[in-house]
Amino acid sequence: MSTPASPEPLVITDALLVTQDAHRRVVRADVRVERGRFTHVGPHVPREGAASIDGHRFALVPGFVNTHGHVAMTPLRGIADDRDLAGFLETLFAVDAHRTEADVEVGARAGIAEMLLGGTTSFLDLYYFEDAVARATESLGIRGFLGWAVLDAEFTTQKGKPLDNAAAFIARWKGSALVSPLVAPQGVYVCGEATWMGAKELARREGTLCHFHLSETRKEVHEHHAKTGDRPADWLEKIGFFGPGMVAAHAVWLTGHEIDVLGRHRLGIAHCASSNLKLASGGVAPIVELRAAGAVVGLGTDSVASNNSLSMLREMHLAGLVQKNHRWDAAALSAQELLDLATVHGAQMLGRGDELGSIEVGKRADFSLVRLDHPTLVPARPEAIVSHLAYSASEEAIDSVFVNGVPVVRDRKLVRGDWNRIRSDVEGAADALWAARPGPK
C-alpha cells in the first residue's frame, strides 16, 4: 500500500473561493498548500518556494463527497434499465455471479475516473472484492471509504464468513493514506440480528464506519414488518444496533417515529435521489424532516447500473428539484444547502468534518478548479456561483482536481491513469458480463 509523496508547495492566486466555511464565504483570494493541507487562505499569501497557478479564471471549490455507491459496477451501466427494483436485482444477481476480482478492479478504475473528472474527491462504497476497489483508489489518487459487504451465510457467495472477510480487509488497508476500510452490512433482507450486531462490534473494535442500505423500498419495509413485527429502522434500534459512525443509504420509506429515531442517533443518511426515482421506489426520501430531526444528510449517486451517472453536480440539481416539487416549496433545499450536502455535510457523515469539505487553513487540500468562462457558469458572479454549482454547472467546466494537494486531473485529463486504457479494459469486462445477463440478448 502506497503513501503519496508530499507534493511541492503550491499557491493559487486570485481565485473565486467557494470556501464552504462556517460563514459560507465566497471571496476572491489566494490559497497556499503545503504537505497536502491548506496553510493560508486569504489575500497575498506567501509564495516563497511554491509553484504558482493563476486562479483568476477559476472558482476553487471543495471536492465533492459521494456518500453511497458501488463504483465497480461501471461495466453494468444500462444493463437493467427501465425495470423496477425486483426486476433490476434479478438481472444484477445473475450477472454478479460471473464477476471476478479482475473485472471488479477494471470497473472501479472506470468509475473512479468518472468521479474524479466530475470533481468528486471522496466516495463511500459498498461491495465485495473491495481489495480490487482499494487498489484502483490508490492508483488513481481518490479518497475511498470502502465497505466490505457482509450478509448472512445462506445468502452469500463469498468464500468464508463475510464478517471475517471484512475484518481481514480492514486489517489489510487501515494503514493506507487514501483508503479508509470499513464494514458494510447489506440490508435487513439478507442480514439477521447476529450479522448486524457483529458488524457493529467490528466497526467499534476497529474504529471504522458502518455503512448499510435502509428502507429503500416499500416492499423491503413491508416484508420486514411481516417477518419481525417491526419496520427496519425501529427493529435496528430495538436490537441495539444504532451508534456512532453509521451511514444509511436511501432511507425513503420512514415513519415520523423512525425519522425521530435516526435523528436522535445522529445517523448519516446518504440521499440517492436519482437512483430512487429511476427504480420507481414510489417514495421521496424525507430529507427536510431528517435534517430537522438531527440526522446528517449527504448525497450519493448509487451505482451507474441504477443512476446511470456518478455526477454529483447532477445529483445536487435533481435532489433539489425533487424536494421542491414534492413539498410545493420552492425554498426547500436551497442551492446553498445542496452544496452543503455535497461537501461539508458529506465530510461530517464520514467522520472527517475536521479535515474535508471546505477551503480552510489546516484542512486537506481536496478541491477542484472550475472554469468561470464555461457557458454553464455565466454570468460568473460571486453571488451566483453557488446557484450555478447546484443547478447548472457541467462536468466539462471542471478543469483540474486535487486530492491532498496532488493534481489528479489537469486540463480535463487524468494525471495518474490513461483513460483510453481504462476504457478499453472496461469494454472488455462488459462483453463477458453482458453476455451473462438473463433474457433476450
Side-chain angles (χ1 to χ4, degrees):
M1 291 173 283
S2 63
T3 300
S6 180
E8 66 175 330
L10 172 67
V11 169
I12 301 175
T13 61
D14 196 30
L16 184 63
L17 307 186
V18 183
T19 67
Q20 287 297 94
D21 66 9
H23 303 290
R24 302 301 191 261
R25 293 180 307 138
V26 176
V27 294
R28 276 278 174 195
D30 309 337
V31 299
R32 182 180 175 103
V33 176
E34 292 185 48
R35 299 183 181 88
R37 296 181 185 269
F38 294 109
T39 58
H40 299 79
V41 176
H44 313 303
V45 305
R47 304 187 186 188
E48 294 79 9
S52 181
I53 295 174
D54 180 356
H56 182 73
R57 298 186 303 113
F58 301 107
L60 196 154
V61 181
F64 299 136
V65 180
N66 185 343
T67 60
H68 178 66
H70 315 282
V71 70
M73 293 176 72
T74 301
L76 309 182
R77 191 193 321 257
I79 202 169
D81 284 347
D82 306 323
R83 308 187 70 185
D84 65 12
L85 183 61
F88 170 83
L89 291 176
E90 178 187 0
T91 297
L92 266 292
F93 290 157
V95 173
D96 267 353
H98 297 269
R99 296 214 71 173
T100 65
E101 186 164 354
D103 76 60
V104 165
E105 185 165 353
V106 164
R109 286 177 62 82
I112 288 168
E114 181 179 348
M115 287 194 291
L116 285 173
L117 288 164
T120 293
T121 55
S122 295
F123 73 104
L124 177 57
D125 196 64
L126 189 164
Y127 212 56
Y128 54 94
F129 288 138
E130 283 290 85
D131 290 283
V133 181
R135 291 192 294 270
T137 295
E138 285 201 332
S139 173
L140 290 174
I142 200 169
R143 201 180 296 280
F145 296 77
L146 309 184
W148 187 284
V150 300
L151 58 168
D152 292 350
E154 61 264 36
F155 297 112
T156 188
T157 58
Q158 296 179 29
K159 295 179 180 179
K161 296 179 180 179
L163 273 171
D164 292 345
N165 294 342
F169 170 69
I170 291 169
R172 285 192 293 273
W173 289 93
K174 63 183 180 181
S176 169
L178 290 173
V179 173
S180 298
L182 56 119
V183 59
Q186 175 74 21
V188 295
Y189 38 89
V190 289
C191 296
E193 180 174 346
T195 297
W196 284 104
M197 297 309 291
K200 177 180 180 177
E201 172 56 24
L202 174 59
R204 184 205 62 79
R205 186 171 70 244
E206 295 292 344
T208 75
L209 297 173
C210 186
H211 184 40
F212 49 93
H213 299 101
L214 178 68
S215 299
E216 181 176 1
T217 68
R218 183 167 54 184
K219 181 175 183 286
E220 169 197 336
V221 171
H222 286 182
E223 287 183 350
H224 189 74
H225 187 271
K227 178 181 177 181
T228 67
D230 291 303
R231 296 169 64 91
D234 287 334
W235 181 77
L236 288 170
E237 185 186 41
K238 179 183 289 187
I239 68 173
F241 172 72
F242 290 139
M246 294 191 171
V247 178
H250 303 297
V252 176
W253 290 94
L254 302 173
T255 63
H257 180 263
E258 288 177 299
I259 291 170
D260 290 340
V261 166
L262 300 181
R264 185 168 67 251
H265 288 285
R266 298 283 297 166
L267 246 69
I269 305 294
H271 178 39
C272 303
S274 297
S275 179
N276 296 154
L277 289 168
K278 184 164 179 285
L279 292 172
S281 68
V284 174
I287 297 306
V288 174
E289 291 82 1
L290 282 163
R291 282 160 52 88
V296 182
V297 177
L299 296 180
T301 59
D302 212 343
S303 80
V304 298
S306 65
N307 184 311
N308 297 18
S309 166
L310 298 176
S311 168
M312 288 292 285
L313 289 171
R314 191 170 89 161
E315 210 62 35
M316 276 192 285
H317 177 83
L318 192 59
L321 298 191
V322 168
Q323 292 293 323
K324 295 172 190 298
N325 180 72
H326 179 67
R327 301 176 66 84
W328 290 47
D329 179 4
L333 282 193
S334 68
Q336 182 60 69
E337 289 174 306
L338 291 166
L339 187 58
D340 291 350
L341 300 190
T343 57
V344 287
H345 292 172
Q348 290 169 14
M349 285 173 57
L350 300 182
R352 301 291 289 276
D354 60 338
E355 286 201 304
L356 306 174
S358 61
I359 311 301
E360 297 182 83
V361 171
K363 287 202 170 185
R364 293 284 178 184
D366 293 6
F367 63 93
S368 296
L369 294 178
V370 182
R371 284 177 45 201
L372 293 171
D373 63 351
H374 192 270
T376 59
L377 277 89
V378 173
R381 304 180 62 82
E383 59 268 39
I385 186 64
V386 171
S387 170
H388 295 344
L389 291 169
Y391 297 135
S392 66
S394 162
E395 278 76 21
E396 294 298 317
I398 297 172
D399 178 87
S400 301
V401 181
F402 293 74
V403 176
N404 270 337
V406 178
V408 290
V409 173
R410 292 300 301 268
D411 302 319
R412 296 237 20 98
K413 293 183 175 61
L414 296 171
V415 173
R416 298 175 60 171
D418 177 355
W419 171 246
N420 289 327
R421 173 65 184 273
I422 291 170
R423 178 182 177 277
S424 175
D425 288 346
V426 82
E427 293 286 3
D431 288 343
L433 295 172
W434 280 65
R437 63 187 169 131
K441 300 296 190 284

